[in-house]
Amino acid sequence: GWVALSINSEDWRHVGQALISVQNSGWKKTLVGFGGAWLAFSGLESISQLAPAIRSPRERTARVAMLWVVVTVLLTSPLITSFSTVLERVDKRNSDHFVSELGVAYGGMFLKIAVVITASVLLMFAANTAIIGGYHVFRALARQHYLPQFLARISPEFGTPHAAIAITVVVPIAVVIGTRGDLILLGQLYAFGLLGAFSLSSIGLDVVRWREGRRGALFWIGLLVSLGVAVAWITNIIAKPMATLFGGGITVAGMVLAVGVRRGWFRALGPAIPYVPRALAEEEAAGRPQAAKILTLGEARELQNMYRPRVLLCLREGTASALHKTIDRLKGIGDSLVYVLFVDEVPGFFFPAEIGPSEDANRVLQHAVLQFEKHEIVALPVWRIGHSAGETIAHTARELGAKHVIIG
């Protein structure tokens, strides 16, 4: 805005000519530019960090926020690019500094510093999003037995997934060192991963809509978007071979590791664990040290002569809200008993014979029991394993005769 108010009619004429000259670009250059332009929308991911705080109705608020991101990108990107590359007063020797040099040329050192600070803070937010998303993905894949189990472990001292966080932080540092901080190459690597993720997410939504029979206008618009992102990704793969080689290599290595862990290719590195039905696995787990303070389904049934709670609270992470709601409900119905359930999900058809409650299970259940005790409510901590959390919750509620099920 400041630059637009500062330049004269002759400058505006040059900017206009630069914008119009885009039509003279060849189709190859246009495709590469089209692929690169999608990176501007990566900021949409940052909205997810604000999700717990945005105003209700959240779906509408998120839609408005995303609309403004799109509008802002479409308005600012062409103009700032034109100002930076066309106006004579701007130092064009280093493309990494285009916007800050534009600021100092027309707004002085104050505007340059403002641009640098803003860009730095935005990059810190982006790094935060990437690290949080990265270790959540590692933990989820480890829980589903696609990655080694140590990545799902929680630090007993801090309650954080320290191993997953460490790898999420160390790998990007190694990439920066390996590329010697070359921003052009780093941008190309980023484009490979981002466009790949966009393509798979968009195509995945199309598949879901097709399977659900939702084939109206929204489906065809989504299909068009998927096609656009896929074209951008394929263009990026062809136009930037180094990024494709690196990104493709990491992807293939990750897939081999995931399939290998899931199918037991690396079992020779550790002791073999036989597989058994769920009931037997839970029965075996009852005698393990980590199950000392929690109940299996069989033990909970045995206690029903003395304790028969009507409410079943199911927890995973972030227990505070669910605990408070359950306490309010129990007080409302004049009850002082509750089952607290944690389900460790195990994919496949069978369960390892040597399975036991995870660190997460013990931590979440023990925390819940202590919170209920403060309100003079007796909580029976129940641990179960299952291929599907939903199916296991339903089975547990039926077996224990629960009348109310609260999902936390």
Side-chain angles (χ1 to χ4, degrees), residues 145 274-278 281 345-353 355 385-387:
H145 294 249
Y275 286 84
V276 296
R278 173 163 61 186
E345 285 189 294
V346 181
F349 295 103
F350 303 100
F351 298 90
I355 197 169
I385 53 175
H387 301 311

Side-chain angles (χ1 to χ4, degrees), residues 316 342-346 351 355-358 360-361 383-386:
R316 181 86 209 175
F342 187 102
V343 179
D344 274 322
E345 285 189 294
V346 181
F351 298 90
I355 197 169
S358 63
D360 284 356
W383 168 80
R384 297 212 64 194
I385 53 175

Side-chain angles (χ1 to χ4, degrees), residues 177-379:
I177 293 172
T179 59
R180 298 182 180 179
D182 185 338
L183 290 182
I184 301 298
L185 183 54
L186 287 170
Q188 291 177 359
L189 297 179
Y190 178 62
F192 177 88
L194 183 77
L195 289 170
F198 274 5
S199 299
L200 294 175
S201 299
S202 189
I203 293 169
L205 284 172
D206 296 334
V207 172
V208 169
R209 289 191 184 112
W210 179 268
R211 288 178 177 174
E212 292 180 350
R214 295 155 57 192
R215 298 169 193 173
L218 189 62
F219 170 76
W220 296 106
I221 293 172
L223 205 61
L224 191 63
V225 172
S226 298
L227 179 63
V229 183
V231 168
W233 190 30
I234 293 168
T235 301
N236 190 80
I237 288 172
I238 296 170
K240 298 164 183 174
M242 283 297 294
T244 301
L245 187 64
F246 177 85
I250 291 291
T251 303
V252 170
M255 287 295 293
V256 170
L257 176 63
V259 174
V261 170
R262 181 68 180 256
R263 297 190 176 181
W265 293 350
F266 312 114
R267 201 169 289 160
L269 301 177
I273 301 174
Y275 286 84
V276 296
R278 173 163 61 186
L280 187 56
E282 290 182 342
E283 188 179 321
E284 289 285 329
R288 301 193 177 282
Q290 62 263 45
K293 296 183 179 180
I294 57 181
L295 305 171
T296 61
L297 179 64
E299 291 171 331
R301 277 200 298 249
E302 290 173 6
L303 289 174
Q304 286 191 321
N305 291 330
M306 295 181 292
Y307 302 101
R308 191 181 286 271
R310 292 179 292 170
V311 176
L312 173 68
L313 170 62
C314 313
L315 294 177
R316 181 86 209 175
E317 300 283 355
T319 59
S321 176
L323 285 171
H324 292 315
K325 288 178 181 177
T326 307
I327 291 167
D328 291 341
R329 173 174 279 274
L330 290 169
K331 289 180 178 179
I333 62 177
D335 203 345
S336 60
L337 293 172
V338 63
Y339 287 117
V340 184
L341 173 67
F342 187 102
V343 179
D344 274 322
E345 285 189 294
V346 181
F349 295 103
F350 303 100
F351 298 90
E354 297 184 8
I355 197 169
S358 63
E359 293 180 10
D360 284 356
N362 271 302
R363 176 174 52 82
V364 170
L365 290 174
Q366 288 175 26
H367 173 73
V369 169
L370 289 173
Q371 294 303 310
F372 280 117
E373 284 180 354
K374 293 178 182 178
H375 294 270
E376 299 181 344
I377 295 171
V378 176

Side-chain angles (χ1 to χ4, degrees), residues 56-128:
S56 295
R58 289 181 177 174
E59 186 176 352
R60 179 182 175 279
T61 307
R63 220 170 26 237
V64 171
M66 285 188 260
L67 175 64
W68 276 111
V69 171
V70 172
V71 170
T72 305
V73 167
L74 293 177
L75 283 176
T76 60
S77 293
L79 284 176
I80 289 181
T81 303
S82 300
F83 290 160
S84 303
T85 55
V86 172
L87 299 178
E88 293 182 359
R89 286 170 57 182
V90 181
D91 186 345
K92 303 176 182 64
R93 285 175 294 179
N94 192 332
S95 62
D96 298 338
H97 303 163
F98 269 171
V99 182
S100 59
E101 292 300 334
L102 177 66
V104 75
Y106 287 90
M109 188 56 67
F110 173 80
L111 190 53
K112 179 175 182 176
I113 292 172
V115 168
V116 171
I117 291 174
T118 303
S120 302
V121 173
L122 287 172
L123 287 172
M124 287 171 63
F125 284 157
N128 187 50

